[in-house]
Amino acid sequence: MGINLGDVVIEEDDIYGDGVNVAARLEALAEPGGICMSRSAYEQVRDKLDLNFVDIGEVAVKNIGRPIRVFKIGMDQKADNLSTPVAPPVPATMMGQRVRATIGLALLTVFLSGVGLWYSPISVRTDLPVPLP
């Protein structure tokens, strides 16, 4: 796995950008089942996670104009203690369908509420006592 903090562009069912490109290069550097991360990601988690980080150094990777400082997470007992089962990912197409369905339902609710208010009769109570002066 490769982890990086950087710019990501999302268009429909596609993601790209410098953040994605660097993460893909880091993934290629990782051992099977291992994790490599960029310096930006490492600086965010180094004092928050009790893991053994190994500084691999500056690495030149394909299609990235500058070397990347790479850190590897030691896959030892500390890493095993932090691991939790992960639910299978939701496909991007299903996520898009859920978002569209939720937005559609919200718009339908607003529309029907407006129609109900528009057609609801307005009544004036005439049986109230009139105050005497």
Side-chain angles (χ1 to χ4, degrees), residues 4-122:
N4 180 48
L5 294 179
D7 295 331
V8 176
V9 178
I10 301 173
E11 287 184 0
E12 295 182 22
D13 291 337
D14 195 18
I15 61 171
Y16 58 92
D18 189 52
V20 176
N21 294 339
V22 171
R25 301 301 179 242
L26 292 169
E27 180 181 16
L29 295 173
E31 299 169 357
I35 300 172
C36 283
M37 63 177 49
S38 66
R39 178 188 359 232
S40 60
Y42 168 74
E43 289 174 354
Q44 297 297 314
V45 300
R46 69 177 172 201
D47 297 325
K48 296 177 177 88
L49 297 176
D50 184 25
L51 293 171
N52 294 321
F53 295 98
V54 179
D55 186 351
I56 296 176
E58 300 278 329
V59 178
V61 294
K62 178 180 166 185
N63 295 333
I64 304 295
R66 67 203 182 294
I68 301 168
R69 172 70 73 178
V70 179
F71 294 85
K72 180 175 81 167
I73 295 178
M75 301 311 266
D76 54 12
Q77 187 61 38
K78 287 183 178 182
D80 287 341
N81 291 342
L82 289 177
S83 67
T84 57
V86 177
V90 176
T93 55
M94 282 184 65
M95 186 63 71
Q97 290 172 351
R98 288 181 183 174
V99 169
R100 284 191 295 272
T102 302
I103 291 171
L105 185 59
L107 289 174
L108 180 63
T109 303
V110 169
F111 174 75
L112 291 176
S113 297
V115 169
L117 289 173
W118 183 264
Y119 286 106
S120 66
I122 298 175

Side-chain angles (χ1 to χ4, degrees), residues 3 24 46 128:
I3 302 174
R46 69 177 172 201
L128 295 176

